[in-house]
Amino acid sequence: MNYEKHYNLLIEKYGHSTKPNSGYYEQHHIIPKFKGGTNDKDNLVYLSAKAHIIAHHLLWKWLKCQKSAYAFWMMAKSNQNQQRRMSSRQFVEARKALKYANSLRTWTPTAEWIENRTGENHWFYNKKRPEHSKVMKDKLKNDLEYRSKNIFLNGGISQHVVESNKRRKGEKRNRTERTCVHCGLTGKGPNMTRYHFDNCKHKE
């Protein structure tokens, strides 16, 4: 398919030199800036959101370069002021374009780049972190005192952890035997409360 031809036809048919008064339109560079395009009026058109997405899709298919791939992927993103809606097929194509663009990223840090960001050349070298304000220090101190008094027991382990560990080890809970006053049954555990006393079927 001749993507260049279809791209030019799209610009001719759906492009507007001035922004229409009604509807949602976005500004588009006919010749992309990474290809030498400028911000002159002759190189700018207004396209609807749908036509704008298709235009960048055609540019990506036509040019097959890293920057056209990133430009097409940016069409998949929109903020609250933009009204772009990609189809599922277009989104899949945009993901493929992004994958292709990322595969071309072959930059590796040079020795000079690393040297300028390590040791004494690092921007944070020999600097101290800013101290907490007095309010924050008091808050942290009170929080630590609360933890030491109310939470951390038994060598730094909280009480509820100790109790849960006891249950896991099979230690029985301390349950006292109780006798139902209505049926005379004696037992212990939650079932006594559930099925006896006020809930007993022999209650008159």
Side-chain angles (χ1 to χ4, degrees):
M1 183 183 290
N2 191 342
Y3 294 109
E4 181 182 3
K5 176 184 175 182
H6 286 282
Y7 174 74
N8 292 328
L9 289 173
L10 176 75
I11 298 299
E12 291 176 8
K13 186 174 182 179
Y14 297 102
H16 300 271
S17 57
T18 58
K19 190 174 183 179
N21 295 327
S22 61
Y24 174 77
Y25 288 86
E26 296 179 340
Q27 206 171 47
H28 174 70
H29 291 83
I30 300 173
I31 301 174
K33 296 187 75 173
F34 61 84
K35 281 292 184 180
T38 62
N39 291 329
D40 296 338
K41 290 185 178 180
D42 296 337
N43 193 44
L44 294 174
V45 290
Y46 287 92
L47 297 172
S48 64
K50 184 177 181 180
H52 199 190
I53 293 172
I54 296 172
H56 277 281
H57 192 181
L58 291 171
L59 276 174
W60 149 243
K61 289 288 190 179
W62 168 27
L63 300 174
K64 279 288 182 179
C65 65
Q66 187 181 39
K67 291 189 176 181
S68 65
Y70 280 133
F72 180 38
W73 169 246
M74 290 304 295
M75 291 291 103
K77 300 181 178 182
S78 62
N79 55 38
Q80 59 183 359
N81 298 322
Q82 294 170 329
Q83 301 177 15
R84 298 176 191 155
R85 295 292 182 273
M86 263 193 176
S87 66
S88 57
R89 183 176 295 179
Q90 287 172 333
F91 186 77
V92 170
E93 289 293 321
R95 288 294 299 269
K96 289 180 181 178
L98 178 66
K99 184 178 180 180
Y100 172 82
N102 288 337
S103 68
L104 299 178
R105 296 176 65 179
T106 57
W107 178 84
T108 54
T110 61
E112 182 182 359
W113 188 91
I114 295 173
E115 184 181 356
N116 291 334
R117 288 162 176 79
T118 54
E120 296 182 1
N121 296 324
H122 193 271
W123 67 273
F124 202 71
Y125 180 80
N126 206 20
K127 291 183 180 179
K128 294 182 179 180
R129 295 185 180 276
E131 293 186 359
H132 290 302
S133 63
K134 188 177 183 302
V135 176
M136 179 58 71
K137 285 182 179 179
D138 293 339
K139 184 178 179 181
L140 293 172
K141 182 180 178 181
N142 294 335
D143 186 52
L144 182 61
E145 289 177 354
Y146 171 79
R147 287 172 177 270
S148 61
K149 289 180 181 178
N150 300 290
I151 298 178
F152 293 106
L153 305 169
N154 301 302
I157 304 174
S158 59
Q159 187 64 33
H160 75 277
V161 173
V162 174
E163 293 296 332
S164 62
N165 287 340
K166 284 183 180 179
R167 297 190 196 107
R168 291 194 192 100
K169 292 177 182 177
E171 296 184 11
K172 296 182 179 180
R173 299 179 184 178
N174 295 325
R175 291 174 177 167
T176 56
E177 288 190 352
R178 295 178 294 172
T179 303
C180 179
V181 295
H182 302 291
C183 64
L185 184 67
T186 301
K188 53 186 177 181
N191 284 339
M192 287 297 296
T193 305
R194 184 175 182 181
Y195 297 111
H196 297 280
F197 302 105
D198 292 339
N199 300 322
C200 185
K201 62 182 179 181
H202 298 289
K203 182 180 178 181
E204 295 180 357

